[in-house]
Amino acid sequence: TSVAGVFTRSKCPSAPVEWCRAKLKGGKARVLVVNSGNANAFTGKSGRDAVTFTAALASKAAGCKPAEVFLASTGVIGEPLKATQFSGVMDGLVRQAMPKAFHEAAKAIMTTDTFPKVATATATLGKAKVTINGIAKGAGMIAPDMATMLSFVFTDAPIAAPALQKILSETVVDTFNAVTIDGDTSTSDTLLAFATGEAAKNGAPKISKASDARLKDFRKA
């Protein structure tokens, strides 16, 4: 799956943010691991070790490279993340993954949210229809840019990572980066977009450049 992302501009980003920034250069994703309850921020070396350990667990469970694992954490700041707790459940999570469990995932990443946040849109790409599904977490500490918001967008459109990154970076300006609730920003802001390319089976053209005119409807969606 192609992957793109934008993150907090805080000079004290969380360990998962630092991990994702480094792995985005590869442009490929196989697994997304999100935990709530602990933000793994201001945790220093132990935080970085927890991220590396979690990625190793997930990559083994899914049969991929650690660099194809993307991570996000939300919750309490400054407490070490006990990533060893993931070792007993990671295999099962990968094995039980379902195509339509977006609501369950949206509920699982909530912290102080009072309801799960989900959105779906469709767009025409070439002569094919593609779908965009998004889930988000965030209730407070939200100000440009994004603040304590974790958001994950998934599409079946066949879009290469560099093009997906450019689209995401441009469209975030008037959307997530225009949102404020309480004027506070955070260490953990993460917005990741994943393009699986599955719609190519239905005739959707493969997109390699963000300037492709066929992306007009997709950009709007």
mmCIF file of all heavy atoms in Angstrom, residues 177-210:
data_model
loop_
_atom_site.group_PDB
_atom_site.id
_atom_site.type_symbol
_atom_site.label_atom_id
_atom_site.label_comp_id
_atom_site.label_asym_id
_atom_site.label_seq_id
_atom_site.Cartn_x
_atom_site.Cartn_y
_atom_site.Cartn_z
ATOM 1 N N ASN A 177 -5.723 21.690 9.079
ATOM 2 C CA ASN A 177 -4.927 22.811 9.587
ATOM 3 C C ASN A 177 -5.739 24.089 9.743
ATOM 4 O O ASN A 177 -5.194 25.142 10.078
ATOM 5 C CB ASN A 177 -3.713 23.055 8.687
ATOM 6 C CG ASN A 177 -2.624 22.031 8.936
ATOM 7 O OD1 ASN A 177 -2.782 21.136 9.741
ATOM 8 N ND2 ASN A 177 -1.510 22.165 8.239
ATOM 9 N N ALA A 178 -7.031 24.004 9.524
ATOM 10 C CA ALA A 178 -7.918 25.156 9.733
ATOM 11 C C ALA A 178 -8.856 24.909 10.912
ATOM 12 O O ALA A 178 -9.802 25.645 11.120
ATOM 13 C CB ALA A 178 -8.721 25.434 8.464
ATOM 14 N N VAL A 179 -8.563 23.869 11.686
ATOM 15 C CA VAL A 179 -9.433 23.485 12.804
ATOM 16 C C VAL A 179 -8.832 23.953 14.128
ATOM 17 O O VAL A 179 -7.633 23.819 14.347
ATOM 18 C CB VAL A 179 -9.604 21.950 12.850
ATOM 19 C CG1 VAL A 179 -10.412 21.537 14.073
ATOM 20 C CG2 VAL A 179 -10.264 21.446 11.591
ATOM 21 N N THR A 180 -9.657 24.502 14.990
ATOM 22 C CA THR A 180 -9.204 24.780 16.352
ATOM 23 C C THR A 180 -10.354 24.548 17.328
ATOM 24 O O THR A 180 -11.517 24.793 17.004
ATOM 25 C CB THR A 180 -8.654 26.210 16.505
ATOM 26 O OG1 THR A 180 -8.132 26.370 17.832
ATOM 27 C CG2 THR A 180 -9.727 27.256 16.277
ATOM 28 N N ILE A 181 -10.019 24.056 18.514
ATOM 29 C CA ILE A 181 -11.017 23.872 19.570
ATOM 30 C C ILE A 181 -10.640 24.694 20.795
ATOM 31 O O ILE A 181 -11.419 25.481 21.290
ATOM 32 C CB ILE A 181 -11.175 22.372 19.930
ATOM 33 C CG1 ILE A 181 -11.888 21.649 18.773
ATOM 34 C CG2 ILE A 181 -11.974 22.196 21.219
ATOM 35 C CD1 ILE A 181 -12.078 20.170 18.977
ATOM 36 N N ASP A 182 -9.410 24.515 21.292
ATOM 37 C CA ASP A 182 -9.037 25.204 22.523
ATOM 38 C C ASP A 182 -7.709 25.951 22.431
ATOM 39 O O ASP A 182 -7.194 26.426 23.441
ATOM 40 C CB ASP A 182 -8.996 24.210 23.689
ATOM 41 C CG ASP A 182 -8.107 23.003 23.386
ATOM 42 O OD1 ASP A 182 -7.356 23.068 22.398
ATOM 43 O OD2 ASP A 182 -8.156 22.020 24.130
ATOM 44 N N GLY A 183 -7.166 26.046 21.240
ATOM 45 C CA GLY A 183 -5.941 26.828 21.061
ATOM 46 C C GLY A 183 -4.662 26.132 21.480
ATOM 47 O O GLY A 183 -3.604 26.742 21.480
ATOM 48 N N ASP A 184 -4.752 24.854 21.870
ATOM 49 C CA ASP A 184 -3.565 24.115 22.294
ATOM 50 C C ASP A 184 -3.127 23.131 21.216
ATOM 51 O O ASP A 184 -3.949 22.404 20.664
ATOM 52 C CB ASP A 184 -3.854 23.324 23.580
ATOM 53 C CG ASP A 184 -4.077 24.235 24.763
ATOM 54 O OD1 ASP A 184 -3.326 25.213 24.881
ATOM 55 O OD2 ASP A 184 -4.989 23.961 25.561
ATOM 56 N N THR A 185 -1.820 23.096 20.973
ATOM 57 C CA THR A 185 -1.279 22.112 20.036
ATOM 58 C C THR A 185 -0.643 20.972 20.816
ATOM 59 O O THR A 185 -0.689 20.942 22.036
ATOM 60 C CB THR A 185 -0.304 22.778 19.050
ATOM 61 O OG1 THR A 185 -0.001 21.856 18.013
ATOM 62 C CG2 THR A 185 0.994 23.194 19.722
ATOM 63 N N SER A 186 -0.059 20.008 20.131
ATOM 64 C CA SER A 186 0.357 18.783 20.802
ATOM 65 C C SER A 186 1.601 18.169 20.191
ATOM 66 O O SER A 186 2.117 18.638 19.191
ATOM 67 C CB SER A 186 -0.813 17.803 20.776
ATOM 68 O OG SER A 186 -0.416 16.505 20.442
ATOM 69 N N THR A 187 2.040 17.081 20.803
ATOM 70 C CA THR A 187 3.243 16.369 20.378
ATOM 71 C C THR A 187 2.944 15.261 19.375
ATOM 72 O O THR A 187 3.861 14.705 18.792
ATOM 73 C CB THR A 187 3.898 15.701 21.598
ATOM 74 O OG1 THR A 187 2.931 14.814 22.195
ATOM 75 C CG2 THR A 187 4.344 16.720 22.615
ATOM 76 N N SER A 188 1.671 14.936 19.212
ATOM 77 C CA SER A 188 1.330 13.650 18.591
ATOM 78 C C SER A 188 0.555 13.712 17.281
ATOM 79 O O SER A 188 0.244 12.667 16.701
ATOM 80 C CB SER A 188 0.522 12.807 19.590
ATOM 81 O OG SER A 188 1.206 12.679 20.806
ATOM 82 N N ASP A 189 0.225 14.940 16.809
ATOM 83 C CA ASP A 189 -0.600 15.058 15.593
ATOM 84 C C ASP A 189 -0.114 14.122 14.496
ATOM 85 O O ASP A 189 1.050 14.167 14.116
ATOM 86 C CB ASP A 189 -0.524 16.452 14.977
ATOM 87 C CG ASP A 189 -0.704 17.566 15.949
ATOM 88 O OD1 ASP A 189 -1.081 17.290 17.084
ATOM 89 O OD2 ASP A 189 -0.481 18.712 15.546
ATOM 90 N N THR A 190 -1.013 13.347 13.983
ATOM 91 C CA THR A 190 -0.664 12.429 12.890
ATOM 92 C C THR A 190 -1.846 12.301 11.940
ATOM 93 O O THR A 190 -2.965 12.046 12.366
ATOM 94 C CB THR A 190 -0.313 11.025 13.441
ATOM 95 O OG1 THR A 190 0.850 11.120 14.280
ATOM 96 C CG2 THR A 190 -0.021 10.054 12.306
ATOM 97 N N LEU A 191 -1.572 12.487 10.670
ATOM 98 C CA LEU A 191 -2.540 12.195 9.620
ATOM 99 C C LEU A 191 -1.830 11.324 8.591
ATOM 100 O O LEU A 191 -0.873 11.760 7.960
ATOM 101 C CB LEU A 191 -3.050 13.480 8.966
ATOM 102 C CG LEU A 191 -3.834 13.331 7.659
ATOM 103 C CD1 LEU A 191 -5.060 12.446 7.833
ATOM 104 C CD2 LEU A 191 -4.244 14.700 7.110
ATOM 105 N N LEU A 192 -2.279 10.104 8.475
ATOM 106 C CA LEU A 192 -1.688 9.175 7.510
ATOM 107 C C LEU A 192 -2.729 8.804 6.468
ATOM 108 O O LEU A 192 -3.895 8.576 6.795
ATOM 109 C CB LEU A 192 -1.193 7.908 8.216
ATOM 110 C CG LEU A 192 0.035 8.065 9.128
ATOM 111 C CD1 LEU A 192 0.249 6.803 9.950
ATOM 112 C CD2 LEU A 192 1.285 8.380 8.308
ATOM 113 N N ALA A 193 -2.299 8.750 5.220
ATOM 114 C CA ALA A 193 -3.179 8.340 4.122
ATOM 115 C C ALA A 193 -2.590 7.104 3.452
ATOM 116 O O ALA A 193 -1.383 7.036 3.207
ATOM 117 C CB ALA A 193 -3.317 9.470 3.106
ATOM 118 N N PHE A 194 -3.461 6.147 3.190
ATOM 119 C CA PHE A 194 -3.031 4.887 2.588
ATOM 120 C C PHE A 194 -3.833 4.626 1.306
ATOM 121 O O PHE A 194 -5.057 4.728 1.320
ATOM 122 C CB PHE A 194 -3.270 3.730 3.561
ATOM 123 C CG PHE A 194 -2.558 3.891 4.878
ATOM 124 C CD1 PHE A 194 -3.180 4.543 5.946
ATOM 125 C CD2 PHE A 194 -1.281 3.396 5.058
ATOM 126 C CE1 PHE A 194 -2.531 4.695 7.166
ATOM 127 C CE2 PHE A 194 -0.629 3.545 6.274
ATOM 128 C CZ PHE A 194 -1.240 4.195 7.324
ATOM 129 N N ALA A 195 -3.145 4.282 0.233
ATOM 130 C CA ALA A 195 -3.807 3.961 -1.032
ATOM 131 C C ALA A 195 -3.465 2.528 -1.415
ATOM 132 O O ALA A 195 -2.322 2.221 -1.774
ATOM 133 C CB ALA A 195 -3.355 4.927 -2.130
ATOM 134 N N THR A 196 -4.457 1.649 -1.314
ATOM 135 C CA THR A 196 -4.202 0.218 -1.520
ATOM 136 C C THR A 196 -4.075 -0.166 -2.989
ATOM 137 O O THR A 196 -3.469 -1.186 -3.317
ATOM 138 C CB THR A 196 -5.324 -0.631 -0.903
ATOM 139 O OG1 THR A 196 -6.531 -0.407 -1.645
ATOM 140 C CG2 THR A 196 -5.546 -0.279 0.565
ATOM 141 N N GLY A 197 -4.694 0.611 -3.879
ATOM 142 C CA GLY A 197 -4.627 0.294 -5.310
ATOM 143 C C GLY A 197 -5.602 -0.771 -5.754
ATOM 144 O O GLY A 197 -5.607 -1.173 -6.923
ATOM 145 N N GLU A 198 -6.464 -1.244 -4.854
ATOM 146 C CA GLU A 198 -7.398 -2.327 -5.198
ATOM 147 C C GLU A 198 -8.348 -1.953 -6.331
ATOM 148 O O GLU A 198 -8.822 -2.814 -7.077
ATOM 149 C CB GLU A 198 -8.204 -2.726 -3.964
ATOM 150 C CG GLU A 198 -7.448 -3.588 -2.971
ATOM 151 C CD GLU A 198 -7.123 -4.962 -3.539
ATOM 152 O OE1 GLU A 198 -8.062 -5.707 -3.874
ATOM 153 O OE2 GLU A 198 -5.926 -5.275 -3.671
ATOM 154 N N ALA A 199 -8.649 -0.654 -6.476
ATOM 155 C CA ALA A 199 -9.598 -0.220 -7.513
ATOM 156 C C ALA A 199 -9.048 -0.400 -8.921
ATOM 157 O O ALA A 199 -9.795 -0.305 -9.899
ATOM 158 C CB ALA A 199 -9.998 1.232 -7.286
ATOM 159 N N ALA A 200 -7.759 -0.673 -9.040
ATOM 160 C CA ALA A 200 -7.180 -0.939 -10.364
ATOM 161 C C ALA A 200 -7.841 -2.160 -10.993
ATOM 162 O O ALA A 200 -7.961 -2.247 -12.222
ATOM 163 C CB ALA A 200 -5.676 -1.144 -10.243
ATOM 164 N N LYS A 201 -8.303 -3.089 -10.143
ATOM 165 C CA LYS A 201 -8.979 -4.286 -10.637
ATOM 166 C C LYS A 201 -10.308 -3.934 -11.305
ATOM 167 O O LYS A 201 -10.832 -4.701 -12.114
ATOM 168 C CB LYS A 201 -9.230 -5.260 -9.495
ATOM 169 C CG LYS A 201 -7.955 -5.800 -8.865
ATOM 170 C CD LYS A 201 -8.270 -6.662 -7.652
ATOM 171 C CE LYS A 201 -7.004 -7.164 -6.975
ATOM 172 N NZ LYS A 201 -7.292 -7.934 -5.736
ATOM 173 N N ASN A 202 -10.860 -2.769 -10.945
ATOM 174 C CA ASN A 202 -12.126 -2.322 -11.518
ATOM 175 C C ASN A 202 -11.921 -1.278 -12.613
ATOM 176 O O ASN A 202 -12.864 -0.598 -13.027
ATOM 177 C CB ASN A 202 -13.024 -1.738 -10.424
ATOM 178 C CG ASN A 202 -13.333 -2.752 -9.341
ATOM 179 O OD1 ASN A 202 -13.488 -3.935 -9.634
ATOM 180 N ND2 ASN A 202 -13.411 -2.301 -8.104
ATOM 181 N N GLY A 203 -10.677 -1.120 -13.053
ATOM 182 C CA GLY A 203 -10.392 -0.216 -14.166
ATOM 183 C C GLY A 203 -9.890 1.156 -13.790
ATOM 184 O O GLY A 203 -9.699 2.006 -14.666
ATOM 185 N N ALA A 204 -9.656 1.415 -12.512
ATOM 186 C CA ALA A 204 -9.119 2.718 -12.109
ATOM 187 C C ALA A 204 -7.682 2.851 -12.612
ATOM 188 O O ALA A 204 -6.885 1.932 -12.446
ATOM 189 C CB ALA A 204 -9.148 2.869 -10.594
ATOM 190 N N PRO A 205 -7.353 3.979 -13.245
ATOM 191 C CA PRO A 205 -6.004 4.155 -13.775
ATOM 192 C C PRO A 205 -4.985 4.364 -12.670
ATOM 193 O O PRO A 205 -5.284 4.955 -11.631
ATOM 194 C CB PRO A 205 -6.134 5.419 -14.635
ATOM 195 C CG PRO A 205 -7.253 6.180 -14.003
ATOM 196 C CD PRO A 205 -8.217 5.145 -13.491
ATOM 197 N N LYS A 206 -3.779 3.888 -12.884
ATOM 198 C CA LYS A 206 -2.707 4.086 -11.916
ATOM 199 C C LYS A 206 -2.172 5.509 -12.043
ATOM 200 O O LYS A 206 -1.820 5.953 -13.127
ATOM 201 C CB LYS A 206 -1.601 3.056 -12.123
ATOM 202 C CG LYS A 206 -2.048 1.635 -11.823
ATOM 203 C CD LYS A 206 -0.928 0.628 -11.971
ATOM 204 C CE LYS A 206 -1.410 -0.777 -11.631
ATOM 205 N NZ LYS A 206 -0.334 -1.788 -11.762
ATOM 206 N N ILE A 207 -2.137 6.210 -10.936
ATOM 207 C CA ILE A 207 -1.735 7.617 -10.919
ATOM 208 C C ILE A 207 -0.326 7.754 -10.345
ATOM 209 O O ILE A 207 -0.047 7.269 -9.247
ATOM 210 C CB ILE A 207 -2.709 8.463 -10.073
ATOM 211 C CG1 ILE A 207 -4.149 8.294 -10.580
ATOM 212 C CG2 ILE A 207 -2.284 9.918 -10.069
ATOM 213 C CD1 ILE A 207 -4.402 8.824 -11.972
ATOM 214 N N SER A 208 0.546 8.413 -11.077
ATOM 215 C CA SER A 208 1.925 8.588 -10.608
ATOM 216 C C SER A 208 2.256 10.043 -10.307
ATOM 217 O O SER A 208 3.243 10.331 -9.638
ATOM 218 C CB SER A 208 2.906 8.037 -11.642
ATOM 219 O OG SER A 208 2.738 8.709 -12.887
ATOM 220 N N LYS A 209 1.428 10.979 -10.814
ATOM 221 C CA LYS A 209 1.705 12.398 -10.598
ATOM 222 C C LYS A 209 0.499 13.114 -9.996
ATOM 223 O O LYS A 209 -0.638 12.896 -10.420
ATOM 224 C CB LYS A 209 2.084 13.071 -11.922
ATOM 225 C CG LYS A 209 3.413 12.584 -12.498
ATOM 226 C CD LYS A 209 3.766 13.340 -13.761
ATOM 227 C CE LYS A 209 5.105 12.877 -14.324
ATOM 228 N NZ LYS A 209 5.465 13.614 -15.561
ATOM 229 N N ALA A 210 0.769 13.971 -9.029
ATOM 230 C CA ALA A 210 -0.312 14.700 -8.366
ATOM 231 C C ALA A 210 -0.995 15.689 -9.293
ATOM 232 O O ALA A 210 -2.114 16.127 -9.038
ATOM 233 C CB ALA A 210 0.236 15.428 -7.138
#
